[in-house]
Amino acid sequence: MATKKFNKKEFIREVKANVKALYRKNLEEATQQQLFQAVSYAVKDEIIENWLATQEQYEKDDPKYVYYMSMEFLMGRALGNNMINLTIYDDVKEALEEIGLDINVIEDQEPDAALGNGGLGRLAACFLDSLATLGYPAYGCGIRYRYGMFKQKIEDGYQVEVPDNWLKDGNPFELRRPEYAKEVKFGGYVRVEYDEKTGRNYYKQEGYQSVRAVPYDFPIVGYNNNIVNTLRIWDAEAISEFQLDSFDKGDYRKAVEQENLARNIVEVLYPNDNHYAGKELRLKQQYFFISASVQEAVAKYKKNHDDIRKFYEKATFQLNDTHPTVAVAELMRILLDEEGLTWDEAWEVTSKTCAYTNHTIMAEALEKWPIELFSRLLPRVYQIIEEINRRFVAQIEAKYPGDFEKVRKMAIIFDGQVKMAHLAIAAGYSVNGVAQLHTEILKHQELKDFYEMMPEKFNNKTNGITQRRFLLHGNPLLASWITDHIGDEWITDLPQLSKLKVYVDDPKAQQEFMNIKYQNKVRLAKYIQEHNGIEVDPRSIFDVQVKRLHEYKRQLLNILHVMYLYNQIKDHPEMDFYPRTFIFGAKAAAGYRRAKLTIKLINSVADVINNDASIKNKLKVVFIEDYRVSNAEWIFAAADVSEQISTASKEASGTGNMKFMLNGAPTLGTMDGANVEIVEEVGKENAFIFGLSADEVINYEQNGGYHPENIFNSDQDIRRVLMQLINGEYAPDDPERFREIYDSLLNTKSSDRADTYFILADFRSYADAQKRVEEAYRDEAGWAKMAMLNTACSGKFTSDRTIQQYVDEIWHLKKETVKVK
Ligand code: 26V
């Protein structure tokens, strides 16, 4: 299956030619950014043939496609990944060296494509990588935001958001496809016309505004298999004068309005993760990319097929959370109004096409749109949802006669709101959670009524991650060490890592493994020195928590424990304490006050501790600015301890946990999300598990919470730490600064329940687990073995496995092969 041979001379010639053509410069005159562009265009050239060959092969085989519909694709950088998957990374590295260029510096010029918030968006990116690598026909469908996830600056310890103008230097890997542009309509009203001949009503949207959706294609390169799939993200343009309907021509006001609509729609990614705000623009974004994508999927099908009633044989839509759920109604609209199907025919197609993935049980993330807003913006789509609801409610009543509670809890439209999750479940043929525990909670708690009514729809697909980015690219030293020991098949068959188990007791292998970890720690220490100006000792334990900042993820528990350790060290300077570096990285949603205050707290604690010479560098605290995909790759490679400490039941899966494990960092965590399955794979003796179980948490919640004040009163170490939040210890200039955090833990007035996330309840057990970490780390051989076992047992967590399960159990796609010409 080998790809065509890399021609170094030719490649160098092309890089030089690109610099000339793009910038009229010689190599020596070009900036690093310009060199990055020139190299990227040369790499893109290597991709194009395969891209064409793949499309040609698909055209010939007429396969079924999955359309992965997602508001977010957190792709990170493309250049390095593309070189890896083309298997030309080392060749290019050599070629660039020959002309005096450093591949790392070149790669570092590329802005992250940060079209996503966190887990959900990064999962979509890993899935695209696995789909292409496994040879499945797929389109990613999304939005080409002008501004992605904000860049984070830390000023005076506070987060400051800076716009992410990621397209400012141009994007070498994208391809504009105006020939596939689509019109998307908003607002207006619906006119009904009765047609005597057919005896049917016809519905026409009139008086609307519209935008032109123009797709940009990104190549998704499969690993070493010639397959290149497509991520298609839509840009919005104003409908130009000559495309306006005749009666709109000369309507200046409308022209301006449509221009504004187009500009606003794709302007920026909502930087909110897990919190629904009901913003009109967000619904516009959703309908915008869904309407364009569904129109395109139908158009593509119709090119080669004439019976639209069999659409589902060639296409399936996977809805990444409820954000793209309007696809259900949009597909119905096209089938009814444009293709002329009857309701029953259209419903059969739609309900065999759409499948839904749930990514959170956090109530505040549930999308519920006010009817007023929804029907005003999408009048025809709303009518269709009303009819879907009417029929669904009738079904509920037929199954549970007289049980109005069931209707209240399950209706799609209720209490003046359109509930998108209910629509997705009622219409889809599959509903899946993202880890075993999460799916069980969905079935037996959050979506209990739906599960009881249609159990056959529910299934689990435990998340995964791509080892191509998070090991082969992010940790080249470990990758080649692994390949030296067990061959390179792990790159596309991760469970092969279990072959490493024979080495875990071998002192030489242990030493090599830990030496690689050490080198990665040196690399990260250098990054921290350059970006934070903090010196950290690579011999200390790197204890890392990187993820979005959220109360349920409990960065607060982590930093309170650091404060506790600091107190201990100060009280007992003679105490034997293994040096520790606590590393944080996290963005807070711009409007999430308590999360932002937690960042300030972390930085304030860091300031005090890092500047206290008396503790002799036993403790360091680092907050890495602007945590994102590109620096994540380095951070995972360098971690000794993986902090996965969410309140049990709250983290649907987590995927960072898998990236740490793959890179040999044991989990310090609760029995939540995929941690449960990590422990199942590696054994609980190779992880540090603590805290309440999901059942215990849910039990407390159903019985009105618990009493953190009892813990406060009885545990003086905890009390002391909490008092330090309000006595100015970490805020001498404003002792009240962290009052809100203190209150959130103890004061029922500040929220409906004190300590909603059970921080005090889990504190002791967390501190004990941390003690076990320290003891384990002192045993060098024991730790090496544990770290290696984590890598060796991480095979399950490849997104290749996840995608194969989606294919086998939900999508039913056939594998394609593409030969290079
Ligand atoms: C929700 C919302 C609500 C409206 C405003 C914008 C917005 C943006 C994103 C979300 C989705 C939140 C759900 C989410 O990200 N879930 C995460 O999904 C990961 C992949 O399945 C999983 O590993 C994490 O545990 C889960 O928190």
Side-chain angles (χ1 to χ4, degrees):
M1 222 198 274
T3 34
K4 86 171 186 282
K5 227 176 136 13
F6 181 80
N7 183 330
K8 181 158 65 168
K9 258 213 188 117
E10 180 57 25
F11 187 85
I12 291 176
R13 198 196 57 71
E14 212 182 316
V15 171
K16 288 182 177 165
N18 287 345
V19 174
K20 251 191 213 139
L22 290 167
Y23 308 106
R24 275 184 290 141
K25 284 186 179 174
N26 294 321
L27 275 188
E28 303 71 42
E29 300 161 323
T31 64
Q32 294 292 335
Q33 171 61 220
Q34 292 170 334
L35 293 167
F36 154 72
Q37 300 273 342
V39 171
S40 294
Y41 278 107
V43 169
K44 188 183 185 181
D45 252 16
E46 306 274 325
I47 296 172
I48 293 285
E49 302 248 310
N50 288 346
W51 208 356
L52 288 170
T54 303
Q55 301 314 315
E56 216 171 281
Q57 189 66 43
Y58 288 1
E59 196 72 21
K60 207 168 107 218
D61 297 343
D62 187 29
K64 182 177 183 181
Y65 289 84
V66 61
Y67 291 86
Y68 198 81
M69 310 259 185
S70 179
M71 289 282 278
E72 306 190 10
F73 289 92
L74 190 41
M75 303 298 287
R77 290 174 175 160
L79 175 59
N81 200 246
N82 287 338
M83 295 188 292
I84 287 277
N85 283 7
L86 292 166
T87 67
I88 60 171
Y89 193 92
D90 292 334
D91 296 317
V92 172
K93 183 171 171 199
E94 232 182 79
L96 294 182
E97 264 163 24
E98 214 168 290
I99 51 177
L101 302 181
D102 178 341
I103 196 165
N104 293 317
V105 177
I106 297 290
E107 283 185 60
D108 216 27
Q109 303 307 310
E110 183 177 359
D112 280 38
L115 309 183
N117 272 288
L120 167 140
R122 182 55 229 177
L123 184 75
C126 285
F127 280 4
L128 295 183
D129 183 85
S130 288
L131 278 160
T133 296
L134 294 175
Y136 291 115
Y139 280 98
C141 304
I143 298 174
R144 183 175 176 272
Y145 301 105
R146 295 285 163 77
Y147 292 87
M149 186 62 207
F150 63 77
K151 301 203 124 328
Q152 180 192 55
K153 292 252 179 290
I154 299 297
E155 287 177 12
D156 186 28
Y158 287 102
Q159 165 177 298
V160 176
E161 301 91 28
V162 180
D164 164 44
N165 192 0
W166 71 295
L167 292 166
K168 70 173 186 305
D169 295 309
N171 187 336
F173 288 104
E174 71 180 9
L175 203 63
R176 183 167 182 267
R177 308 301 296 274
E179 65 273 31
Y180 295 115
K182 301 282 180 291
E183 185 180 6
V184 179
K185 301 174 182 175
F186 294 95
Y189 52 92
V190 180
R191 197 159 59 81
V192 192
E193 252 171 42
Y194 179 73
D195 184 340
E196 304 239 334
K197 268 195 257 125
T198 60
R200 282 185 58 167
N201 281 331
Y202 286 86
Y203 299 83
K204 230 174 146 300
Q205 193 173 348
E206 290 183 350
Y208 54 82
Q209 292 183 354
S210 59
V211 294
R212 205 163 90 98
V214 182
Y216 284 69
D217 287 355
F218 279 74
I220 305 295
V221 179
Y223 184 81
N224 195 25
N225 65 356
N226 306 313
I227 287 185
V228 181
N229 282 338
T230 302
L231 166 60
R232 177 160 284 178
I233 54 181
W234 299 87
D235 185 24
E237 294 180 5
I239 300 273
S240 61
E241 176 74 14
F242 61 88
Q243 290 160 324
L244 288 177
D245 273 343
S246 57
F247 52 81
D248 285 337
K249 290 217 165 126
D251 187 341
Y252 177 70
R253 207 180 68 138
K254 181 163 180 178
V256 172
E257 277 172 4
Q258 294 196 147
E259 214 164 301
N260 284 333
L261 178 63
R263 187 161 339 103
N264 289 332
I265 275 186
V266 297
E267 183 67 8
V268 61
L269 165 82
Y270 274 91
N272 237 333
D273 176 82
N274 258 303
H275 189 85
Y276 163 78
K279 288 279 189 296
E280 176 162 347
L281 182 60
R282 168 105 177 156
L283 183 57
K284 282 184 189 165
Q285 291 184 334
Q286 295 183 348
Y287 184 67
F288 166 75
F289 95 97
I290 286 301
S291 177
S293 303
V294 176
Q295 287 183 53
E296 174 54 28
V298 170
K300 182 176 172 61
Y301 174 82
K302 286 177 69 178
K303 265 203 301 197
N304 303 314
H305 305 273
D306 36 16
D307 188 357
I308 193 71
R309 281 165 300 197
K310 296 205 171 132
F311 178 71
Y312 59 84
E313 290 182 0
K314 296 295 177 186
T316 191
F317 297 167
Q318 190 65 38
L319 309 178
N320 199 22
D321 216 297
T322 56
H323 320 154
T325 296
V326 69
V328 167
E330 178 65 0
L331 181 56
M332 284 298 286
R333 185 190 68 75
I334 291 171
L335 296 174
L336 292 167
D337 298 357
E338 289 172 18
E339 301 299 325
L341 298 195
T342 65
W343 183 276
D344 289 337
E345 288 172 332
W347 184 250
E348 175 170 348
V349 173
T350 300
S351 57
K352 286 181 172 172
T353 301
C354 298
Y356 157 61
T357 305
N358 175 291
H359 293 269
T360 181
I361 62 159
M362 300 294 287
E364 58 266 38
L366 289 183
E367 292 189 296
K368 300 176 262 184
W369 297 102
I371 289 177
E372 183 281 320
L373 163 61
F374 204 103
S375 60
R376 173 165 50 80
L377 198 63
L378 309 172
R380 178 59 184 141
V381 163
Y382 179 71
Q383 281 185 341
I384 290 169
I385 294 178
E386 267 189 324
E387 180 61 14
I388 296 174
N389 180 57
R390 194 185 65 75
R391 291 169 184 246
F392 183 55
V393 168
Q395 236 180 300
I396 300 170
E397 284 169 340
K399 178 135 189 168
Y400 306 101
D403 190 346
F404 185 70
E405 265 301 283
K406 288 280 182 192
V407 175
R408 187 183 65 77
K409 287 194 286 189
M410 296 167 79
I412 297 164
I413 303 178
F414 202 85
D415 246 1
Q417 292 175 317
V418 186
K419 302 183 176 181
M420 301 311 273
H422 297 192
L423 176 60
I425 300 167
Y429 67 94
S430 164
V431 177
N432 77 280
V434 291
Q436 275 163 21
L437 175 68
H438 171 59
T439 301
E440 289 308 305
I441 293 174
L442 288 179
K443 291 199 299 197
H444 303 296
Q445 311 277 341
E446 308 302 312
L447 301 178
K448 181 163 172 281
D449 297 298
F450 292 94
Y451 176 63
E452 273 169 23
M453 183 165 161
M454 29 204 173
E456 70 289 348
K457 289 188 184 182
F458 284 73
N459 64 94
N460 175 248
K461 295 288 166 285
T462 298
N463 284 166
I465 56 157
T466 171
Q467 66 268 32
R468 269 84 59 188
R469 182 178 290 268
F470 292 105
L471 183 51
L472 189 52
H473 184 259
N475 194 346
L477 296 176
L478 185 56
S480 48
W481 183 84
I482 292 171
T483 296
D484 288 345
H485 286 77
I486 63 168
D488 66 2
E489 286 176 29
W490 61 271
I491 297 170
T492 52
D493 182 13
L494 200 63
Q496 299 241 2
L497 288 182
S498 68
K499 290 184 182 160
L500 289 172
K501 283 184 192 165
V502 299
Y503 295 103
V504 300
D505 286 308
D506 172 353
K508 179 163 167 282
Q510 287 180 352
Q511 212 185 18
E512 289 168 354
F513 192 92
M514 291 315 288
N515 186 38
I516 288 168
K517 181 62 81 183
Y518 181 79
Q519 291 184 56
N520 287 323
K521 288 164 79 173
V522 170
R523 180 175 72 166
L524 184 62
K526 217 173 129 225
Y527 179 92
I528 290 170
Q529 177 68 265
E530 277 164 21
H531 292 80
N532 294 62
I534 298 173
E535 198 182 319
V536 301
D537 184 349
R539 288 165 307 180
S540 65
I541 302 172
F542 277 20
D543 180 315
V544 187
Q545 186 175 20
V546 286
K547 50 182 79 247
R548 284 301 289 260
L549 212 139
H550 249 289
E551 286 168 277
Y552 84 78
K553 294 176 188 284
R554 300 200 294 192
Q555 283 92 353
L556 181 56
L557 173 59
N558 187 342
I559 197 67
L560 291 176
H561 174 258
V562 172
M563 289 160 65
Y564 157 81
L565 284 182
Y566 181 56
N567 289 339
Q568 289 217 312
I569 296 172
K570 296 288 277 185
D571 287 355
H572 310 283
E574 73 297 341
M575 184 180 69
D576 204 10
F577 184 84
Y578 203 100
R580 198 75 86 108
T581 302
F582 287 95
I583 297 171
F584 293 82
K587 290 181 184 177
Y592 192 169
R593 194 167 25 92
R594 201 171 288 171
K596 292 176 112 172
L597 191 58
T598 305
I599 291 177
K600 174 65 176 172
L601 176 62
I602 294 168
N603 283 312
S604 303
V605 172
D607 264 354
V608 171
I609 292 180
N610 298 342
N611 293 310
D612 182 345
S614 79
I615 61 165
K616 308 210 177 69
N617 292 329
K618 283 181 185 162
L619 258 188
K620 281 277 164 81
V621 180
V622 178
F623 188 96
I624 294 182
E625 195 176 70
D626 203 33
Y627 173 60
R628 60 190 186 280
V629 176
S630 54
N631 60 21
E633 293 178 31
W634 291 34
I635 295 170
F636 294 125
D640 290 312
V641 178
S642 161
E643 297 255 9
Q644 308 299 334
I645 61 178
S646 55
T647 310
S649 80
K650 303 296 178 201
E651 190 70 273
S653 162
T655 43
N657 46 3
M658 302 168 185
K659 297 165 195 170
F660 282 106
M661 182 193 197
L662 178 66
N663 282 277
T667 302
L668 163 56
T670 49
M671 280 301 223
D672 198 16
N675 298 353
V676 175
E677 291 159 74
I678 286 176
V679 173
E680 209 169 281
E681 294 298 303
V682 77
K684 63 177 182 318
E685 67 286 3
N686 296 304
F688 303 89
I689 299 303
F690 72 95
L692 296 172
S693 69
D695 280 343
E696 288 168 332
V697 167
I698 291 169
N699 233 318
Y700 275 125
E701 286 176 339
Q702 289 175 347
N703 296 299
Y706 83 114
H707 294 285
E709 65 275 16
N710 294 347
I711 298 173
F712 179 85
N713 290 331
S714 64
D715 187 322
Q716 56 176 348
D717 293 332
I718 292 179
R719 188 164 63 246
R720 177 166 171 207
V721 167
L722 293 200
M723 293 314 290
Q724 289 171 335
L725 289 172
I726 50 171
N727 70 5
E729 180 92 11
Y730 295 100
D733 55 324
D734 175 11
E736 287 297 303
R737 179 172 295 135
F738 301 116
R739 167 77 63 181
E740 174 178 358
I741 291 177
Y742 173 90
D743 279 347
S744 77
L745 295 171
L746 289 168
N747 191 341
T748 39
K749 269 175 276 159
S750 74
S751 57
D752 8 325
R753 276 197 292 115
D755 194 11
T756 322
Y757 296 103
F758 300 88
I759 288 176
L760 298 201
D762 277 350
F763 187 94
R764 269 295 151 198
S765 136
Y766 178 59
D768 291 346
Q770 282 285 22
K771 200 90 204 115
R772 299 202 298 276
V773 169
E774 178 175 338
E775 280 155 25
Y777 199 86
R778 286 178 192 280
D779 169 9
E780 268 180 48
W783 186 272
K785 178 175 177 178
M786 196 189 298
M788 285 169 80
L789 275 170
N790 268 275
T791 299
C793 296
S794 65
K796 173 175 176 182
F797 302 105
T798 172
S799 45
D800 298 343
R801 184 266 313 151
T802 313
I803 284 299
Q804 193 58 51
Q805 290 177 328
Y806 274 93
V807 166
D808 293 341
E809 296 160 25
I810 305 179
W811 302 333
H812 305 293
L813 309 175
K814 282 218 272 300
K815 237 185 225 292
E816 290 281 313
T817 50
V818 173
K819 287 201 188 57
V820 79
K821 275 177 273 175

